[in-house]
Amino acid sequence: MTPNPITLRQTAEDQAARLPALLAHAEHLAGAVLLGDHGRRRAGTGDDFWQYRPAQIGDSRRMIDHRRSAMGDTQFVREREWQIAQSVMLWCDQGASMRFASADTLPTKSERARVLTLALAILLVRGGERVGLTGISLPPRRGRMQVIRLAEMLSEDSDDDYSPPEHRAMIPHAQAVFVSDFMGDIADVQLALTKAADRGVRGVLLHVLDPSEEAFPFRGRTIFESVGGTLRHETLKANDLRNRYLERLAARKAELRHLCGLTGWQYGEHHTDSSAQSALLWLYRAMDRTVAVRG
């Protein structure tokens, strides 16, 4: 089916309009966090050779090791220890379930998750880290332009109700951050964290929820419908569902904590009615703890 040019233009304009606001909010939030005199602790700051890896989109030509590449048809990059230690890969859930807010006075889960993810990226770039997205769309790099690329890609939405964590192209022994409501299939999270652990990747998982999802304040006749419109459930006694819902939510949190414990990740919760600055500070410090555990 050929896309409608008018629809495409409107979508592009909507995304472009969100970009400056997202970037400004993230920069303001990052600026409010005090980093101290020394920034983040880093493991492996030397220039020792670490490994060869196939060249990826975003690698400059001067990074190519021509002697190693001449041995075959694939171009290889010679990575050093400091490059690995300073690479952070981000995944921010852009599924439809994240576009929920229980009140007009609250940000959607997506708005909060995107701002926190981008603000963390800004702090990491200022600290000399290479930052990118999980997968192959935006490999870790430094600089202001990388932050702008991140903002552009974080402004996109997914049509899926629940987006699984992206686990492709994990850089061995780097760090990662996953930000989501984790309402989808827990098997997808298990796969992503297992793949990361297999490559020596440690990181932080931030569980973002709307306060109504934590409290389940619904009573009487209620219609529950997914943001994407694919799921719908009507009940005359919503309060009868409360205990079962809260039990399942508690079980989901326990599963996430267990997975993080098994794979060496940090687990944290954040509610959209809480301080974004406190959440960002927790994220930043959790990244330090991840480095300390590896070191």
Side-chain angles (χ1 to χ4, degrees):
M1 179 177 178
T2 303
N4 186 321
I6 297 177
T7 303
L8 282 176
R9 178 177 178 180
Q10 183 62 51
T11 302
E13 289 176 350
D14 289 344
Q15 292 179 351
R18 289 200 300 266
L19 176 59
L22 172 61
L23 192 56
H25 193 175
E27 288 180 334
H28 177 75
L29 183 59
V33 173
L34 300 177
L35 304 185
D37 294 333
H38 304 292
R40 273 167 33 89
R41 298 185 298 274
R42 300 184 183 91
T45 56
D47 288 331
D48 294 337
F49 169 74
W50 183 271
Q51 67 175 3
Y52 290 111
R53 66 163 173 81
Q56 299 175 341
I57 297 173
D59 291 333
S60 64
R61 294 190 63 82
R62 65 175 178 271
M63 296 173 64
I64 304 297
D65 189 288
H66 297 287
R67 180 176 296 179
R68 174 65 181 85
S69 300
M71 298 172 64
D73 297 328
T74 303
Q75 290 187 319
F76 285 89
V77 168
R78 179 185 178 92
E79 290 195 312
R80 294 179 171 84
E81 185 179 8
W82 67 271
Q83 292 175 315
I84 298 297
Q86 294 180 335
S87 292
V88 181
M89 296 165 291
L90 308 171
W91 176 72
C92 180
D93 189 343
Q94 292 164 277
S97 72
M98 295 291 287
R99 299 193 289 275
F100 170 73
S102 59
D104 293 339
T105 56
L106 294 174
T108 65
K109 292 181 289 184
S110 179
E111 289 167 346
R112 180 57 57 85
R114 290 172 179 180
V115 165
L116 287 173
T117 302
L118 187 58
L120 178 64
I122 291 170
L123 291 179
L124 294 172
V125 167
R126 287 178 182 174
E129 314 283 359
R130 300 195 310 168
V131 180
L133 297 177
T134 54
I136 60 174
S137 59
L138 190 64
R141 300 184 73 174
R142 294 188 179 88
R144 171 69 178 175
M145 284 306 301
Q146 182 74 345
V147 171
I148 293 176
R149 294 187 194 100
L150 280 167
E152 290 174 347
M153 300 190 77
L154 289 174
S155 297
E156 298 174 358
D157 290 327
S158 170
D159 294 331
D160 298 330
D161 272 329
Y162 307 105
S163 293
E166 173 64 83
H167 55 76
R168 293 175 298 166
M170 285 281 188
I171 299 175
H173 305 288
Q175 288 181 282
V177 178
F178 288 177
V179 184
S180 173
D181 61 6
F182 298 104
M183 292 289 191
D185 190 345
I186 192 67
D188 292 328
V189 183
Q190 182 177 12
L191 175 63
L193 292 190
T194 301
K195 290 277 190 180
D198 287 345
R199 298 182 70 82
V201 175
R202 298 292 183 268
V204 180
L205 186 154
L206 185 64
H207 195 181
V208 178
L209 294 170
D210 183 274
S212 70
E213 293 173 325
E214 190 74 59
F216 199 84
F218 309 105
R219 298 290 184 272
R221 181 177 182 271
T222 307
I223 299 175
F224 298 99
E225 187 172 12
S226 65
V227 177
T230 60
L231 300 172
R232 190 177 188 275
H233 176 72
E234 181 176 353
T235 179
L236 297 177
K237 296 181 179 180
N239 46 300
D240 288 350
L241 301 176
R242 187 173 189 272
N243 288 339
R244 277 182 289 168
Y245 168 82
L246 293 178
E247 287 173 1
R248 293 189 66 177
L249 178 61
R252 174 54 56 95
K253 291 181 180 182
E255 288 178 296
L256 293 172
R257 289 192 187 94
H258 180 65
L259 285 173
C260 286
L262 288 176
T263 55
W265 282 48
Q266 301 279 330
Y267 171 82
E269 295 179 29
H270 174 66
H271 300 147
T272 55
D273 61 344
S274 300
S275 165
Q277 184 173 333
S278 296
L280 177 59
L281 189 57
W282 181 88
L283 272 172
Y284 197 73
R285 289 174 175 170
M287 297 293 289
D288 266 349
R289 291 194 293 273
T290 301
V291 172
V293 169
R294 176 180 289 118

